[in-house]
C-alpha cells in the first residue's frame, strides 16, 4: 500500500465511522455565517459541549447581531459563561456584532477581513468560512487536527503553527477531503484518538497508523509522549 492508498483508506474508515460519534458543535451552524462566526470564536480553548451550551443560552436570548447588541453586558456574560475566557469573549462578541451590523449585516467572506475582528484569528476565520459559506480553501487546524495529523505522520511533529500545519496537510490530502477533515478529526479525536490516552488497542485505523508520539505503556495501554 503506497501513501496515497493509506490516506484514502484512513479517510474512508474514519468517515464511515463518524456517524456513530458526537457531531461537532459547528455542524449545527452549516450555512449560517453569523452563527458559525460566533460559535467559532466562542469555541477557542473550550470544550465542544461548553461551546454548545453557551450558544444555546445566547441564541435563546438573541440570535441576530442587532438583537445581541441590545442585550446588556451582564446578559451576554451570563449566557456565554460556560466558555473559557467568557469575559473577553463577551467583549469580542459585541465587537463582532457591531462590525457585522456596520457591514450591512453580512459576515465577510475572506480570512483577511475576518481576522480584523477582535477575537478572530486565522483558525476562527477559516472555520467560519468553511461552516458558514462552504469556502474550504484551507483546512481548519485545531488541537485535534494537529495532534492526529502528527500521530498519523501526515504532518511534521515539530510543526507548531496552524497555518503551516494546514499547508502540510494540503500537500498530502486530496482536495475533496479538505472540507470534511476538521470535523472528522474533532469527532475521531474525542472518541478514539484521545489527547493523553489514545485508544490505539481498539482503533479502527491501528494497522495504518505509525503512532508518532505515542508509546505503549503496558499491553493494550497507550499514552501520548507530547507532555513528557
Ligand atoms: S492507532 Fe492510536 S495514535 Fe493512531 S490514530 Fe488510532 S488512536 Fe490515534
Amino acid at each position: 500500500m503506497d501513501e496515497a492508498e493509506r490516506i484514502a483508506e484512513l479517510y474512508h474508515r474514519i468517515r464511515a465511522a463518524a456517524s456513530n460519534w458526537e457531531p461537532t458543535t459547528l455542524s449545527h451552524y452549516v450555512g449560517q455565517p453569523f452563527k458559525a462566526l460566533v460559535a467559532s470564536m466562542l469555541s477557542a480553548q473550550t470544550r465542544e459541549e461548553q461551546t454548545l451550551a453557551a450558544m444555546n443560552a445566547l441564541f435563546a436570548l438573541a440570535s441576530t447581531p442587532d438583537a445581541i447588541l441590545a442585550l446588556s453586558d451582564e446578559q451576554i456574560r451570563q449566557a456565554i459563561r460556560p466558555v473559557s475566557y467568557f469575559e473577553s469573549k463577551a467583549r469580542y462578541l459585541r465587537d463582532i456584532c457591531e462590525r457585522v451590523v456596520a457591514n450591512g449585516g453580512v459576515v465577510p467572506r475572506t480570512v483577511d477581513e475576518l481576522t480584523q475582528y477582535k477575537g478572530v484569528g486565522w483558525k476562527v476565520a477559516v472555520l467560519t468560512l468553511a461552516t458558514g459559506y462552504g469556502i474550504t480553501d484551507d483546512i481548519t487546524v485545531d488541537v485535534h487536527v494537529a495532534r492526529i495529523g502528527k500521530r498519523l505522520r501526515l504532518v511534521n511533529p515539530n510543526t507548531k503553527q496552524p497555518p503551516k500545519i494546514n499547508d502540510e496537510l494540503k500537500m498530502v490530502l486530496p482536495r475533496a477531503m479538505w472540507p470534511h477533515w476538521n470535523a472528522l478529526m474533532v469527532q475521531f479525536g474525542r472518541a478514539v484518538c484521545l489527547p493523553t490516552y489514545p485508544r490505539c488497542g481498539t482503533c479502527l485505523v491501528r494497522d495504518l497508523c505509525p503512532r508518532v508520539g505515542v508509546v505503549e505503556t503496558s499491553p493494550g495501554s497507550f499514552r501520548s509522549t507530547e507532555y513528557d
Side-chain angles (χ1 to χ4, degrees), residues 148 151-152 188 192-194 198-201 203-206 209-212 214:
I148 299 168
R151 288 177 178 173
L152 292 171
F188 183 52
V192 181
C193 196
L194 308 179
R199 295 173 175 156
C200 304
C203 177
L204 65 165
V205 296
R206 60 189 178 280
C209 178
R211 298 201 307 260
V212 176
V214 173

Side-chain angles (χ1 to χ4, degrees), residues 87-107:
E87 290 180 323
S88 299
K89 289 176 179 175
R91 291 195 294 276
Y92 300 156
L93 178 59
R94 195 170 281 286
D95 180 74
I96 286 171
C97 290
E98 286 171 353
R99 286 174 179 258
V100 171
V101 168
N103 199 40
V106 177
V107 172

Side-chain angles (χ1 to χ4, degrees), residues 200-223:
C200 304
T202 55
C203 177
L204 65 165
V205 296
R206 60 189 178 280
D207 56 316
L208 303 170
C209 178
R211 298 201 307 260
V212 176
V214 173
V215 291
E216 188 166 14
T217 52
S218 61
S221 296
F222 298 83
R223 181 176 61 76

Side-chain angles (χ1 to χ4, degrees), residues 29-147:
Y29 309 113
V30 171
Q32 303 177 75
F34 176 67
K35 290 185 178 180
L37 172 56
V38 174
S40 301
M41 184 275 288
L42 292 180
S43 73
Q45 295 179 289
T46 297
R47 298 173 71 89
E48 291 272 310
E49 51 274 20
Q50 292 165 316
T51 304
L52 190 57
M55 287 294 289
N56 288 340
L58 177 66
F59 286 115
L61 293 175
S63 60
T64 65
D66 281 315
I68 292 171
L69 287 172
L71 298 175
S72 69
D73 290 344
E74 186 56 22
Q75 282 178 300
I76 293 175
R77 279 197 293 270
Q78 285 303 323
I80 68 167
R81 202 178 180 86
V83 302
S84 56
Y85 308 111
F86 70 92
E87 290 180 323
S88 299
K89 289 176 179 175
R91 291 195 294 276
Y92 300 156
L93 178 59
R94 195 170 281 286
D95 180 74
I96 286 171
C97 290
E98 286 171 353
R99 286 174 179 258
V100 171
V101 168
N103 199 40
V106 177
V107 172
R109 299 175 68 96
T110 68
V111 169
D112 285 348
E113 289 172 286
L114 277 169
T115 51
Q116 302 297 312
Y117 287 23
K118 284 184 188 161
V120 180
W122 180 87
K123 185 189 94 175
V124 171
V126 171
L127 189 54
T128 298
L129 294 177
T131 307
Y133 288 123
I135 298 171
T136 54
D137 297 333
D138 292 296
I139 297 167
T140 308
V141 177
D142 62 10
V143 290
H144 298 287
V145 170
R147 178 181 75 251

